[in-house]
Amino acid sequence: MEETYLLNVEGVKKKILHGGQGELPKLQDGSKFTFHFQTLKDDFERTVIDDSREAGVPMEIIVGKMFKLEIWETLLSSMRIGEVAEFWCDTIHTGMYALVSRGMRRIAEGRDPLEGQKHRCGMGNMFDYHSTGYEDLDELQRTPQPLIFIMELFRVRGLAGWLPEREQLGQPAQLLLPVQVEDPSAYKRDTWAMSKEEKLAAVPVLHSEGNRLVLRREFAQAAAKYQEAVICLRNLQAKEKPWEDGWLKLESLVTPLVLNYCQCQLELGEYYEVLEHTTELLQKHNDNAKAYFKRAKAHAAVWNEREAREDFQRVAHLDPSMAAAVKKELKQLGERMRKKHVEDRKRYQGLFQSSQGV
């Protein structure tokens, strides 16, 4: 086992477990890697997350075809044919893994890898609070962490300028390439592929587009714009130290975007999503009156009367200028709850009388 050494990439360590043959492959766009991999947690037990050998199908990716976990292309480019290597990758490189893994697992199970997924980039889907369908991947989404990848490279083919049809790829490619590869001619430059400068430049544009769509009452489309802007900023935040100046500056841009997104979800009736995102926001900023106000409205919409009243009262305490709006909301909440209680009593009486008649 060779000594551990750093690749010329921030946040990556490599350890060769078994030496390969020949020189490093000279790669170009279109070259295809075929390899097996194992993904481990960086914990005491080195918990296995995925193992391509258990699925019985090797992994294949094509250089330059926008593989969603771009660090893998870098790792494989450092390997010789027949080499087995272990790579430790810091969190800045592993944020996409839960979604990539979900797609691979679904394919191995014979399911549609895009099932239930809206048409947007992977980081966009991570913004959703909904489950991936796999408990261990949900944990990775909640708490991003360094991962260990053990890879065995056993074939590299030069396919410059040629993307085969699925029928020509053979079984491994049929299973995996359709999920992990996109045709560049149809490729939209999603936020995960942008540079830092491009992300920062995109945020105000997306914010403005979202505001314009709100004025047209196109709330779903507006939410998507706000969401994409948040994704840009969260991706940049992942490379900053929490609560230091750089992180805080980005957080100040994130907060109004999340609030705008939540307002759109209120309009769309997605109340539990509003509860999720406002609660997360308030865990960091417990003095944000607007977040309490939107959470209160969501609580009221799903009949959580006590929680709604508590949040409305916090709003009035934190921001007296919103007192009139709070008073109006509390009046509406009281009327709705009284109406609900009357309807519930009638329903229960009807059920009781019906059972007595039997």
Side-chain angles (χ1 to χ4, degrees), residues 293 312 315-316 319-331:
F293 189 78
F312 279 133
V315 172
D319 189 351
S321 69
M322 297 181 71
V326 167
K327 184 178 179 180
K328 179 181 176 182
E329 292 290 341
L330 287 171
K331 181 180 179 181

Side-chain angles (χ1 to χ4, degrees), residues 50 61 107 109 138-139 205 207 235 258 267 301 321 352 358:
D50 290 306
I61 63 174
I107 289 174
E109 294 165 2
D138 288 346
E139 179 191 354
V205 175
H207 197 160
N235 194 9
V258 172
E267 297 286 351
S321 69
F352 178 75
V358 174

Side-chain angles (χ1 to χ4, degrees), residues 4 43 102 124 127 142 151 188 199 261 295 299 320:
T4 299
D43 57 13
R102 178 182 66 178
F127 187 84
R142 289 191 297 268
M151 295 178 163
K188 175 181 179 295
K199 288 186 176 75
Y261 176 86
R295 190 172 74 171
H299 274 309

Side-chain angles (χ1 to χ4, degrees), residues 2 15 233 296 314 339 354:
E2 293 191 16
K15 182 187 296 182
L233 295 169
R314 289 191 185 100
K339 184 178 179 180
S354 176

Side-chain angles (χ1 to χ4, degrees), residues 7 22 27 29 31 39 59 76 97 109 131 142 145 151 158 172 196 200 208 232 239 282-283 286 307-308 314 319:
L7 288 175
L27 303 174
D29 283 1
S31 297
T39 304
M59 180 70 178
L76 290 162
Y97 186 77
E109 294 165 2
S131 171
R142 289 191 297 268
Q145 57 196 267
M151 295 178 163
K196 177 180 178 179
L200 287 172
S208 178
C232 287
K239 300 176 183 179
L282 288 165
Q283 287 172 350
N286 62 4
E307 292 87 348
R314 289 191 185 100
D319 189 351

